[in-house]
């Protein structure tokens, strides 16, 4: 079955760029839409943005100016870059897959706790 | 933005109880409503999609209903492994997917 493996640093300094990668195994990256979702400590879930294998993206307007999601089909990977981070960006970041644009998130990565701190 | 409001925020219950969690959307989302279960330190797990379709492998004691703006998740007979936090999520507005604030199902 499809599995997602996340990678990236768990500590980022304020004003720097948060970068995470999600590797898809068990199926082609073209089979799904791919989203990033985050969860601040002790809080709820916030959708960040999605990408399709074609490169088509859609971002949460609240993050749009700082956000880039990209895809590398040759590596079956997609990535998140969030610039100018602050403590408010401290959260567990998840990658997730949905089988169509209005579909549920039925595949999840393991989550990466990212702390923004000097 | 479509706001999703869950109630209650916290629900004390006992093993064997029948429990219901409610989710209300700020506008009609037809049946584009999904339910997730999250346990501490774990990623959310899809339970129900399209308001009432049980995800493969999910026990039949979980069920969902509703359409438009009002939805419910019901667990017919609580098991020890069901104590967790539950989230609803709308996938009607693909410009901005939104989640409810969560309902924590706690042992009474």
């Amino acid at each position: 079955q499809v599995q997602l493996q996340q990678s990236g640093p768990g500590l980022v300094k304020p004003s720097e760029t948060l970068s995470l990668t999600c590797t898809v195994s068990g199926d082609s990256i073209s089979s799904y839409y791919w989203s990033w979702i985050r969860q601040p400590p002790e809080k709820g879930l916030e959708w960040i943005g999605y990408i399709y294998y074609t490169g088509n993206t859609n971002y949460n307007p609240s993050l749009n100016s700082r956000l880039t999601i990209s895809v590398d089909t040759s590596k079956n990977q997609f990535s998140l870059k969030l610039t100018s981070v602050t403590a408010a960006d401290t959260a567990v970041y998840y990658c997730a897959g949905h089988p169509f644009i209005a579909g549920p998130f039925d595949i999840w990565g393991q989550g990466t706790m990212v702390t923004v701190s000097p | 933005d479509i706001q999703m409001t869950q109630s209650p925020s916290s629900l004390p219950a006992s093993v064997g109880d029948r429990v219901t969690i409610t989710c209300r959307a700020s506008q009609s989302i037809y049946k584009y409503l999904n339910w997730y279960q999250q346990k501490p330190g774990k990623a959310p797990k899809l339970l129900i999609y399209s308001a009432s379709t049980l995800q493969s492998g999910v026990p039949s004691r979980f069920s969902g209903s509703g359409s438009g703006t009002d939805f419910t998740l019901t667990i017919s007979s609580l098991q020890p492994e069901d104590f967790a936090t539950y989230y609803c999520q709308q996938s009607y507005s693909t410009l901005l997917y939104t989640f409810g604030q969560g309902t924590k199902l706690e042992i009474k």
Side-chain angles (χ1 to χ4, degrees):
Chain A
Q1 75 276 19
V2 184
Q3 291 187 314
L4 303 180
Q5 180 67 40
Q6 297 179 218
S7 58
L11 182 64
V12 182
K13 290 182 169 52
S15 79
E16 295 191 346
T17 297
L18 182 161
S19 297
L20 296 173
T21 295
C22 189
T23 301
V24 180
S25 62
D27 202 350
S28 168
I29 199 165
S30 63
S31 299
Y32 271 68
Y33 284 78
W34 304 104
S35 277
W36 289 96
I37 294 161
R38 68 181 182 178
Q39 185 172 35
E42 306 303 317
K43 293 190 176 180
L45 298 159
E46 178 184 34
W47 174 76
I48 296 170
Y50 75 66
I51 191 163
Y52 195 47
Y53 78 100
T54 56
N56 183 42
T57 56
N58 185 36
Y59 298 158
N60 188 320
S62 70
L63 299 169
N64 186 58
S65 63
R66 299 191 291 131
L67 183 61
T68 301
I69 299 176
S70 58
V71 64
D72 185 337
T73 55
S74 67
K75 295 181 179 179
N76 245 30
Q77 292 178 336
F78 60 104
S79 298
L80 165 74
K81 289 189 188 300
L82 186 65
T83 63
S84 305
V85 297
T86 69
D89 296 309
T90 293
V92 177
Y93 286 75
Y94 295 101
C95 57
H98 36 130
F100 52 98
I101 194 169
F105 302 115
D106 64 355
I107 307 168
W108 292 74
Q110 79 275 22
T112 301
M113 178 65 210
V114 178
T115 301
V116 178
S117 175
Chain B
D1 302 359
I2 298 177
Q3 308 299 320
M4 307 300 294
T5 304
Q6 287 181 235
S7 60
S9 296
S10 176
L11 180 55
S14 301
V15 172
D17 284 355
R18 178 184 179 91
V19 299
T20 297
I21 298 169
T22 297
C23 179
R24 176 164 288 175
S26 60
Q27 66 182 73
S28 177
I29 56 170
Y30 300 88
K31 299 197 80 172
Y32 291 93
L33 190 282
N34 311 303
W35 289 99
Y36 302 86
Q37 176 194 67
Q38 187 179 33
K39 295 182 178 179
K42 299 294 187 183
K45 172 188 172 184
L46 177 66
L47 297 176
I48 287 169
Y49 61 94
S50 300
S52 58
T53 303
L54 201 64
Q55 173 71 344
S56 176
V58 174
S60 59
R61 62 181 180 272
F62 291 92
S63 63
S65 66
S67 65
T69 60
D70 294 314
F71 302 87
T72 59
L73 171 69
T74 299
I75 309 173
S76 60
S77 179
L78 269 177
Q79 299 302 301
E81 61 268 29
D82 299 337
F83 291 96
T85 300
Y86 293 84
Y87 292 95
C88 62
Q89 175 246 335
Q90 64 81 18
S91 52
Y92 172 72
S93 171
T94 59
L95 292 180
L96 181 58
Y97 306 103
T98 47
F99 293 85
Q101 80 279 15
T103 295
K104 188 172 184 179
L105 191 49
E106 301 174 309
I107 299 174
K108 187 186 291 184

